[in-house]
């Protein structure tokens, strides 16, 4: 499949956003990928009520939830503006703040089947590179064969 055919299929590049230097760097890499594909960049920020969803359910307050959402949107706008301010070539950006327990949930809730989810390749941990890995949570360390 040619690059132009791929660009037509992939309309959006979805990227989870964190307010950190590493998160801003990932956002810049996702913007470059969106530019390359002529796609829309969709930075996603997860937010949840202070104290978490369980506490919020005991005493819901829609006014507070709306305020938290507005703060998340403002934070996302700031992170996107800061990360992409030095970019020369333009890219269409549609930031989304999603009420979710985790960033992974927020990205999953935003993405559709035709979207590309931009995630950096994970570097293996020191234990993996040494041939040691975690077998299961809470069960100690096992040697790789």
């Amino acid at each position: 499949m040619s690059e132009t055919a791929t660009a037509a299929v992939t309309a959006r590049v979805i990227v989870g956003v964190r307010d950190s230097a590493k998160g801003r760097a990932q956002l810049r890499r996702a913007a470059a990928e969106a530019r390359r594909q002529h796609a829309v960049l969709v930075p996603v920020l997860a937010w949840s009520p202070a104290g978490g969803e369980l506490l919020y359910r005991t005493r819901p307050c829609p006014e507070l939830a709306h305020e938290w959402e507005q703060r998340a949107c403002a934070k996302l706008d700031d992170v996107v503006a800061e990360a992409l301010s030095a970019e020369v070539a333009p890219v269409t950006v549609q930031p989304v703040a999603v009420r979710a327990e985790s960033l992974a949930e927020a990205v999953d809730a935003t993405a559709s089947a035709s979207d590309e989810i931009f995630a950096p390749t994970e570097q293996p941990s020191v234990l993996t590179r040494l041939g040691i890995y975690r077998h299961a949570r809470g069960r100690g360390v096992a040697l790789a064969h």
Side-chain angles (χ1 to χ4, degrees):
M1 188 182 269
S2 71
E3 276 194 24
T4 39
T6 305
V9 173
T10 304
R12 302 187 311 168
V13 174
I14 312 290
V15 61
V17 174
R18 290 193 188 339
D19 188 12
S20 66
K22 189 175 180 179
R24 286 185 289 279
Q26 180 174 333
L27 180 57
R28 284 189 291 275
R29 288 190 300 272
E33 182 63 21
R35 225 177 272 109
R36 188 184 73 72
Q37 294 184 18
H38 304 288
V40 174
L41 176 65
V42 182
V44 178
L45 178 81
W47 71 273
S48 61
E53 291 291 342
L54 189 59
L55 181 61
Y56 181 79
R57 281 188 222 132
T58 63
R59 297 205 185 262
C61 180
E63 294 83 15
L64 272 176
H66 180 72
E67 178 65 28
W68 291 324
E69 181 178 20
Q70 293 303 311
R71 286 183 187 177
C73 289
K75 180 180 180 179
L76 179 57
D77 288 343
D78 290 345
V79 170
V80 169
E82 182 181 332
L84 302 181
S85 65
E87 298 290 320
V88 177
V91 64
T92 304
V93 181
Q94 294 178 345
V96 178
V98 177
R99 184 173 176 172
E101 294 282 330
S102 70
L103 188 55
E105 284 181 23
V107 168
D108 286 345
T110 305
S112 66
S114 64
D115 295 332
E116 178 177 333
I117 298 175
F118 185 85
T121 56
E122 292 204 14
Q123 295 181 342
S125 69
V126 173
L127 292 177
T128 303
R129 287 182 290 201
L130 292 174
I132 302 171
Y133 63 93
R134 285 211 174 270
H135 183 64
R137 285 187 175 221
R139 301 224 170 129
V141 176
L143 293 175
H145 299 311

